[in-house]
Amino acid sequence: MKEISSLIDSEQNVKAFDSVQNSMRFRLFCSVYQSSNTTVPYVQKMLGVLPSSSKDSNGYFHAESKKYIKEVWRLPSAPLWKRVSSFIVYCILWVGALLGTEEFAVLIMPFMMWNIDVVLGRLVIIIWILVMTVGGLGKDYWQLPRPKLCCHSVTVLERTHTGENGFPSTHVMSFLGEFVPILYFISTSNYQLSSIEFIFATLTILLLFSTTALSRVYRGVHSVPDIIGGIVLALVTCFLLSPQAREADDWVLSDYKAFYVFPLFSIIVLLCYPVRDQFTETYCDVAAILGTGSGVIMGSYITRNIFPYLTCPFPPLLTQSEKRIGLFTSTVLRTGFIRYVFGVILMVLVKDVGKIIIAKILTKVLPKSNIDSRHRYAVQVPAKFIAYIGLGLGTIAVIPMLQDYLFPFPFQN
């Protein structure tokens, strides 16, 4: 408690402790603080990350090069075997960190819908969106600090999310929100995978998940309680919602109310969001996630009921057990790759161009403010929400139509 009191006394951590309003938050705060001062520095040291040498710097100050070095493999005076092992660990955990990003999710789920099984992709997207919404709300509700605020010797290897709160880890939640539903729906559906194939897939996912979870501590952006909190929240959300996902999907495809119920629900969530005084990307990320979900649901209803000719249905590859090997010919693989690259290019254009245009329009329409439009919630949140609605609509409706017209699979002819 003495150490925690000294942390509270420091000016930069007053806001972190101000958010601790009840016993649950206080216990979480204590566990985060303890892990940030013990486990995180220990893991970083074991895996070849150099400790920060002062309160305002990250890394070890190398006198010869006159710059701060963060990893052992960059240190010229370190033994060769340490540099090699440190570099290998760095590469493996860099990939692990990448697997938990929202960008990876945006790339992998359209691939499922366009080239494997549109139903599976749609179900996974629904679960992932709700998991990530819970994670974003949790971050700004508990408002617990990152390890660097609790321990100055922690070295931060990535600066992308350091301005956000720490608990829970949304990288962990993003990974589990993608792959747990995939395993669930494959195991409960007629995909005709053998038990050996399913066990191999499960073990591979567990191995990849371990690299994602370890990478968050290694890179100095999360403590162990952040990881555990992300695991618990993601698994609870997945196991509660996955059994109802098929019924929800049937409702989305058949009831016209689905066209506006989820977008309205998303707007209500964004209006009731626990906004912080200091600008963070978490609120904007939640808006982007809910916008994607709204676009996917609206696009699914449109392609099923209003313009059924927009998409040309084809047999999911995973259900073709007797033909699965024969389907993966060079022609099919080449066509799938071309479809995917073409679709990703269109997705990026819709997302980025749409966000820029909407942000400029909102900047002109809204009252003038001294706050930079890039750090203004009134601009960035609606811009992301609307742009990602277009992304979801395009991913589920327009892009598949263009793919089927320009690059059809051989078995679609």
Side-chain angles (χ1 to χ4, degrees), residues 112-132:
M112 280 193 296
M113 287 193 296
W114 297 336
N115 294 328
I116 298 178
D117 186 352
V118 66
V119 177
L120 176 64
R122 194 166 58 233
L123 292 172
V124 172
I125 283 179
I126 291 173
I127 302 298
W128 178 81
I129 286 166
L130 295 174
V131 167
M132 292 302 291

Side-chain angles (χ1 to χ4, degrees), residues 349-363 383 387:
L349 287 175
V350 169
K351 174 176 69 72
D352 292 342
V353 175
K355 187 168 61 175
I356 292 171
I357 293 174
I358 296 166
K360 286 188 177 296
I361 293 173
L362 290 172
T363 304

